[in-house]
Amino acid sequence: MSAVGAARALLVELTGTEPDGTWSAPGRANLIGEHTDYNDGFVFPFAIGERTHVALRHRDDGRIRVVSTFDADPVEVALTDLDGLFPARRDDVAEWARYPLGVAWALIQASGADAVTLGGVDLAFASDVPVGAGLSSSAAIEGATASALNDVWGLGMGRVALATAGTRAENEAVGAPTGVMDQLASMLGEADAAIFLDCRSLETEVVELGFGPAGLTLLVIDTGVKHAHSTGGYGERRAACERGAAVMGVPALRDLSVDDLPRAQELLDDVTFRRVRHIVTENQRVLDTVQTLRAHGPRAIGGLLDASHASMRDDFEISVPELDLAVDTSRATGAIGARMTGGGFGGAAIALVPDEHVEAVASAVTASFADAGFAAPHVFPVAASRGAGRDA
Ligand code: ADP
Ligand code: MG
């Protein structure tokens, strides 16, 4: 069954009635610009075709109930109780339910709406975005929720405000210290285009990718290695970036350029310096990618993707052997550029591949994983697609 069909069926099972409507939001792939978002820098993601759908039905009792195909148990709470739940008592809520309930909470806070006057809702979720693969199933569930509630509650919030509410939910209701990139990509995506985003000003520009006309396919290689954002390395990398910015006397690493790196190397310990060097060079690579795409088209950006991967592997140290193998094998068998994408420590790589080499790359990657004794990867093409909204 399609994800939209599954969301509808789940809602019917929950309420015994048809939904009022369905909304959806896509996952995203980041073409380039990794860990630059929380450093006030630049990113260049695009929304993918895989989406999380939510079927919605109003209720008259001011309560919100969420259910997902991921979890048999619905979670229900009064809208007026959300304020007491987040962030202080979030541990009382099943982890997955903090995403949609956190978005409801953040929307009420941001819009200034009185929770007493808002209608209750039942929300049933189903998704075809792979979870924990670096394709941001979290932004997809947040975006679907934000888009649906904004419409049915008549909040009149714009897309950037909805994205920001999703980020707040993820930071404060879930407890994952992520930036705003994923949510903005999921909200603002357009067919065959990526979103050039300045994470400081939140200014965005839609930039045509032109992969199809250039005979290129973007393959995702999901290694199946799970990452966990709320714990571990992600927070440690963030702390290193903050430390580097403090020593360098700038508000954020965004304010450094490659010309500042020699001074950074003098002032910082080796590990912090390499973290800083990744961010500074990655910001420059995002700018170069946008400029190269416009001037020379998508076949010219391969080297920038490769350099991004090397920087994440060697300087930021967030790759894993499965991601390195996916990237190296793709490059060796016809990809014009490849890199890990997402927060790292697992998840997916992307490879930009001429159409005629897609099958060779996919089967070589699968074979190389078998040879290395790794679990079979999931290799599939993604296409830049439209952002969140009501389903037709
Ligand atoms: P990613 O965003 O890279 O897929 P995250 O760890 O950020 O990985 O988010 C994944 C989490 O989001 C899941 O573990 C689950 O809690 C929640 N989630 C995402 N999609 C759904 C869904 N359709 N139903 C329920 N929970 C979901
Ligand atoms: Mg996520």
Side-chain angles (χ1 to χ4, degrees), residues 180-264:
V180 75
M181 162 174 75
D182 299 354
Q183 293 79 5
L184 276 168
S186 181
M187 275 293 156
L188 297 171
E190 289 185 23
D192 196 32
I195 311 296
F196 173 46
L197 165 65
D198 179 335
C199 296
R200 172 168 279 167
S201 66
L202 297 191
E203 272 175 50
T204 57
E205 234 177 296
V206 175
V207 181
E208 203 182 310
L209 289 171
F211 289 166
L216 294 172
T217 296
L218 197 82
L219 281 182
V220 169
I221 301 149
D222 178 5
T223 63
V225 180
K226 297 289 174 221
H227 65 84
H229 267 182
S230 17
T231 52
Y234 187 94
E236 193 276 323
R237 295 306 183 280
R238 253 187 113 128
C241 291
E242 279 163 24
R243 201 162 62 233
V247 172
M248 293 298 288
V250 290
L253 294 182
R254 149 72 177 275
D255 298 299
L256 299 179
S257 78
V258 285
D259 297 337
D260 295 311
L261 288 176
R263 192 168 66 92

Side-chain angles (χ1 to χ4, degrees), residues 4-341:
V4 65
R8 295 188 78 97
L10 190 59
L11 195 281
V12 171
E13 193 184 307
L14 184 72
T15 66
T17 53
E18 288 295 316
D20 298 337
T22 71
W23 283 256
S24 63
R28 65 97 188 93
N30 192 21
L31 192 59
I32 194 159
E34 223 62 78
H35 286 258
T36 45
D37 60 345
Y38 56 79
N39 287 294
D40 274 6
F42 305 108
V43 293
F44 197 40
F46 62 91
I48 59 177
E50 288 72 12
R51 302 175 79 85
T52 295
H53 295 265
V54 58
L56 178 148
R57 169 82 182 176
H58 71 276
R59 13 188 321 160
D60 298 326
D61 58 1
R63 297 177 74 78
I64 180 168
R65 181 166 53 163
V66 294
V67 64
S68 166
T69 53
F70 287 23
D71 191 305
D73 298 322
V75 177
E76 182 178 330
V77 52
L79 288 171
T80 49
D81 286 343
L82 288 172
D83 233 359
L85 213 49
F86 301 126
R89 285 176 41 234
R90 65 183 177 219
D91 290 346
D92 294 358
V93 182
E95 186 174 26
W96 79 266
R98 293 177 212 161
Y99 291 85
L101 294 179
V103 168
W105 166 73
L107 288 179
I108 293 170
Q109 294 247 323
S111 65
D114 182 352
V116 177
T117 65
L118 295 172
V121 282
D122 282 321
L123 301 172
F125 295 91
S127 182
D128 52 29
V129 185
V131 172
L135 296 174
S136 208
S137 67
S138 56
I141 189 172
E142 290 156 8
T145 307
S147 177
L149 294 179
N150 186 47
D151 282 2
V152 296
W153 285 345
L155 301 177
M157 289 169 63
R159 286 179 172 266
V160 173
L162 294 178
T164 307
T167 306
R168 181 153 187 222
E170 191 144 346
N171 293 165
E172 295 181 39
V174 179
T178 57
V180 75
M181 162 174 75
D182 299 354
Q183 293 79 5
L184 276 168
S186 181
M187 275 293 156
L188 297 171
E190 289 185 23
D192 196 32
I195 311 296
F196 173 46
L197 165 65
D198 179 335
C199 296
R200 172 168 279 167
S201 66
L202 297 191
E203 272 175 50
T204 57
E205 234 177 296
V206 175
V207 181
E208 203 182 310
L209 289 171
F211 289 166
L216 294 172
T217 296
L218 197 82
L219 281 182
V220 169
I221 301 149
D222 178 5
T223 63
V225 180
K226 297 289 174 221
H227 65 84
H229 267 182
S230 17
T231 52
Y234 187 94
E236 193 276 323
R237 295 306 183 280
R238 253 187 113 128
C241 291
E242 279 163 24
R243 201 162 62 233
V247 172
M248 293 298 288
V250 290
L253 294 182
R254 149 72 177 275
D255 298 299
L256 299 179
S257 78
V258 285
D259 297 337
D260 295 311
L261 288 176
R263 192 168 66 92
Q265 189 159 23
E266 277 169 30
L267 294 178
L268 298 170
D269 64 272
D270 174 61
V271 170
T272 310
F273 169 66
R274 287 186 292 113
R275 306 298 187 250
V276 168
R277 182 166 61 186
H278 166 69
I279 299 300
V280 171
T281 57
E282 185 79 350
N283 271 326
Q284 188 60 47
R285 281 186 290 270
V286 176
L287 298 173
D288 291 347
T289 300
V290 172
Q291 201 257 331
T292 302
L293 260 178
R294 286 182 166 142
H296 306 291
R299 283 194 178 247
I301 68 170
L304 291 159
L305 302 181
D306 293 343
S308 173
H309 185 77
S311 178
M312 288 187 282
R313 182 190 60 210
D314 303 336
D315 275 354
F316 220 57
E317 295 180 285
I318 55 173
S319 191
V320 294
E322 289 86 346
L323 288 167
D324 292 338
L325 182 62
V327 165
D328 293 344
T329 308
S330 302
R331 286 292 282 115
T333 54
I336 64 173
R339 59 185 284 276
M340 53 153 283
T341 184

